[in-house]
């Protein structure tokens, strides 16, 4: 009851804030016949329109910003299908709130001030690296900001510095574990004891694999650039669902077809409304993530509402190595390579616990007929171009003309060869 009173007060404030300051939201509210004083209960949130990712693209870069840029102290961003990023501006208060959310996340995982924290998330426009940096700083850890990549150096520093906590994507944690095995380094004998991983979906089986191969306890961080970054939801020692920081984010579950709000316990699409953000609050943002909500006291003692691990997504986006990948992004990059034709398909397979993306693209006739060495050279060029622009490693196969099936309707661009339970 206490948290819901707080949420209602903050919801009213947020609706009034965006109505006064963001033309996009004022128009949306007017179209629905809703004024800020129309919000009398939390259930009234169903009267508001949804916000979707295309709204952010259409208002790029700062059309949804509710404060002047003189009050914005930082901007993060994530990639979109058009090549333009989804922007996430922050005021100083927003950064402070985000830091609190991240500190809660890390504390729930058992991270403490005497930990030596190796932060191997990418630092930059991506929210992961600096989000974790802020939370770790708030707790007061010894912070080692290694960023992502240079895996052998990660292992060396882990050994030399005596890291006790690791932060990165779950797939990169497995990469570190695999490389350590190749180097004959047994991570399980090192001081490392806990990891907090996120930025991509990962199964309980992958968590257990990481725990086994690294000898640690693996925890989860959930978030979106559109809301603040990581720190929206987190697991705890009970590892029975993810707690949502619901004093900052009001969560709903909707039927993605009918848009009807579903009761607690039913599976559907997760929708969030910002409650305290000032630079760019979101009203009813559709995450496309499929899960369910539960309100129950956790064994850890926390009473925040819980969400189950994400079951999947309601759109066709791929997530490879923690990066959101759309076929149109790959297409635009292939069109910049003169040696290949604009005929391609993306093949998704399971490699162990990781998703592996193979780009099959037709080579120009003279390239394909020049032989295997030339094809490998062009494949490496394409792979490097994708890596340089999107930050993901993909396998590339240069195939012969007409290898890709033609279609008079929609082209089949994605072939998912993963077992059904992993799709």
């Amino acid at each position: 009851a206490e948290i819901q009173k707080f949420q209602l007060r903050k919801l009213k404030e947020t609706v009034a804030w965006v109505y006064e300051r963001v033309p996009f939201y004022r128009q949306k509210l007017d179209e629905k016949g809703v004024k800020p004083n129309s919000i009398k209960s939390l259930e009234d949130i169903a009267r508001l329109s949804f916000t979707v990712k295309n709204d952010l693209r259409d208002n790029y870069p700062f059309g949804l910003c509710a404060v002047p840029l003189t009050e914005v102290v930082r901007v993060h961003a994530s990639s979109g299908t058009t090549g333009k990023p989804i922007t996430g501006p922050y005021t100083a208060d927003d950064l402070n709130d985000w830091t609190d959310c991240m500190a809660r996340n890390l504390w729930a995982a058992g991270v403490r001030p005497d930990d030596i924290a190796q932060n191997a998330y990418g630092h930059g426009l991506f929210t992961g690296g600096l989000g974790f940096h802020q939370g770790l700083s708030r707790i007061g850890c010894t912070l080692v900001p290694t960023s992502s990549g240079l895996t052998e150096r990660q292992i060396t520093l882990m050994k030399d510095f005596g890291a006790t906590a690791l932060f990165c994507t779950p797939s990169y944690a497995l990469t570190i574990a695999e490389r350590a095995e190749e180097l004959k380094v047994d991570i399980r004998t090192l001081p490392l004891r806990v990891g907090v991983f996120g930025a991509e979906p990962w199964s309980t089986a992958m968590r257990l694999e990481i725990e086994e191969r690294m000898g640690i306890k693996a925890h989860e961080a959930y978030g979106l650039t559109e809301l603040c970054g990581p720190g929206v939801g987190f697991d705890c020692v009970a590892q029975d669902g993810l707690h949502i920081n619901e004093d900052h984010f009001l969560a709903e579950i909707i039927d993605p077809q009918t848009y009807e709000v579903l009761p607690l316990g039913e599976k559907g699409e997760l929708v969030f409304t910002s409650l305290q953000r000032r630079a760019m609050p979101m009203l009813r943002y559709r995450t496309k993530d499929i899960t369910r909500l539960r309100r129950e006291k956790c064994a850890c003692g926390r009473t925040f509402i819980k969400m189950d691990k994400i079951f999947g997504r309601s759109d066709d986006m791929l997530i490879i190595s923690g990066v959101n990948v759309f076929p149109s992004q790959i297409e635009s990059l292939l069109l910049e390579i003169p040696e290949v034709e604009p005929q391609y398909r993306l093949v998704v397979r399971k490699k162990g616990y990781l998703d592996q993306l193979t780009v099959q693209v037709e080579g120009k006739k003279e390239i394909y007929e020049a032989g295997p060495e030339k094809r490998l050279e062009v494949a490496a060029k394409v792979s490097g171009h994708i890596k340089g622009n999107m930050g993901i490693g993909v396998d590339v196969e240069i195939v012969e003309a007409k290898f890709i099936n033609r279609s008079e309707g929609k082209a089949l661009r994605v072939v998912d060869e993963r077992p059904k339970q992993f799709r």
Side-chain angles (χ1 to χ4, degrees), residues 129-418:
L130 288 173
F132 275 82
H133 186 106
Q134 290 159 199
L136 293 164
S137 297
R138 178 63 52 89
I139 288 175
C141 304
T142 301
L143 179 51
V144 186
T146 55
S147 194
S148 57
L150 300 175
T151 305
E152 287 189 25
R153 188 180 70 168
Q154 300 277 1
I155 296 165
T156 298
L157 294 179
M158 192 180 293
K159 286 169 49 187
D160 295 348
F161 291 6
T164 57
L166 175 67
F167 312 95
C168 60
T169 64
S171 56
Y172 192 53
L174 277 183
T175 298
I176 291 173
E178 290 166 355
R179 186 65 185 128
E181 290 167 8
E182 293 167 1
L183 296 171
K184 310 298 184 190
V185 174
D186 187 353
I187 289 182
R188 293 170 296 184
T189 65
L190 302 181
L192 197 68
R193 63 176 189 81
V194 66
V196 181
F197 310 113
E200 62 188 7
W202 54 309
S203 64
T204 299
M206 184 187 281
R207 174 173 66 80
L208 295 173
E209 177 82 359
I210 292 170
E211 290 180 340
E212 167 64 24
R213 295 178 71 170
M214 288 191 147
I216 64 174
K217 195 67 182 165
H219 289 275
E220 184 162 2
Y222 172 84
L224 304 89
T225 300
E226 296 87 340
L227 294 174
C228 75
V232 175
F234 56 91
D235 68 1
C236 60
V237 290
Q239 294 190 308
D240 177 29
L242 306 181
H243 299 278
I244 293 172
N245 278 314
E246 59 175 331
D247 53 339
H248 291 275
F249 310 102
L250 179 59
E252 305 171 82
I253 294 290
I254 64 165
D255 182 310
Q257 270 74 51
T258 67
Y259 310 140
E260 173 194 3
V261 178
L262 301 177
L264 289 177
E266 290 202 24
K267 188 190 293 187
E269 182 182 338
L270 185 60
V271 173
F272 280 115
T273 295
S274 310
L275 293 178
Q276 298 197 55
R277 197 165 185 193
R278 282 296 172 257
M280 200 175 77
M282 292 282 103
L283 296 186
R284 303 195 83 196
Y285 182 74
R286 293 185 59 182
T287 67
K288 301 292 187 179
D289 290 330
I290 304 299
T291 184
R292 60 168 64 94
L293 296 176
R294 297 179 273 141
R295 186 171 292 285
E296 57 193 32
K297 188 169 181 179
C298 184
C300 75
R302 291 173 178 83
T303 55
F304 278 160
I305 199 167
K306 286 183 181 179
M307 57 181 268
D308 286 349
K309 281 181 74 72
I310 301 301
F311 295 103
R313 296 184 61 82
S314 59
D315 61 11
D316 62 353
M317 183 181 74
L318 303 173
I319 300 182
I320 305 296
S321 302
V323 178
N324 298 348
V325 179
F326 292 84
S328 58
Q329 286 176 291
I330 300 286
E331 179 175 284
S332 64
L333 294 173
L334 292 176
L335 290 171
E336 295 172 4
I337 304 292
E339 293 91 343
V340 301
E341 301 285 358
Q343 297 294 337
Y344 69 97
R345 69 178 184 180
L346 311 181
V347 182
V348 189
R349 302 184 176 100
K350 210 73 182 171
K351 186 178 180 182
Y353 290 102
L354 306 181
D355 288 341
Q356 178 65 41
L357 178 62
T358 298
V359 178
Q360 296 177 332
V361 58
E362 291 182 4
K364 293 279 178 67
K365 186 172 183 294
E366 64 272 23
I367 297 299
Y368 190 83
E369 292 180 351
E373 286 187 13
K374 185 63 177 178
R375 294 198 290 270
L376 286 173
E377 177 190 319
V378 175
K381 179 178 179 179
V382 173
S383 179
H385 190 54
I386 293 171
K387 175 79 170 177
N389 283 274
M390 299 180 63
I392 61 168
V394 300
D395 291 335
V396 175
E397 296 175 6
I398 304 300
V399 298
E400 63 186 331
K402 307 300 182 185
F403 179 88
I404 308 297
N405 290 334
R406 274 35 173 187
S407 172
E408 293 180 359
K410 289 187 178 181
L412 178 63
R413 291 303 189 197
V414 179
V415 178
D416 195 338
E417 295 184 353
R418 294 173 296 179

Side-chain angles (χ1 to χ4, degrees), residues 103-121:
R104 291 176 185 176
N105 187 157
L106 298 166
W107 192 271
V111 178
R112 295 294 182 266
D114 58 357
D115 274 307
I116 299 171
Q118 185 160 329
N119 184 5
Y121 278 102

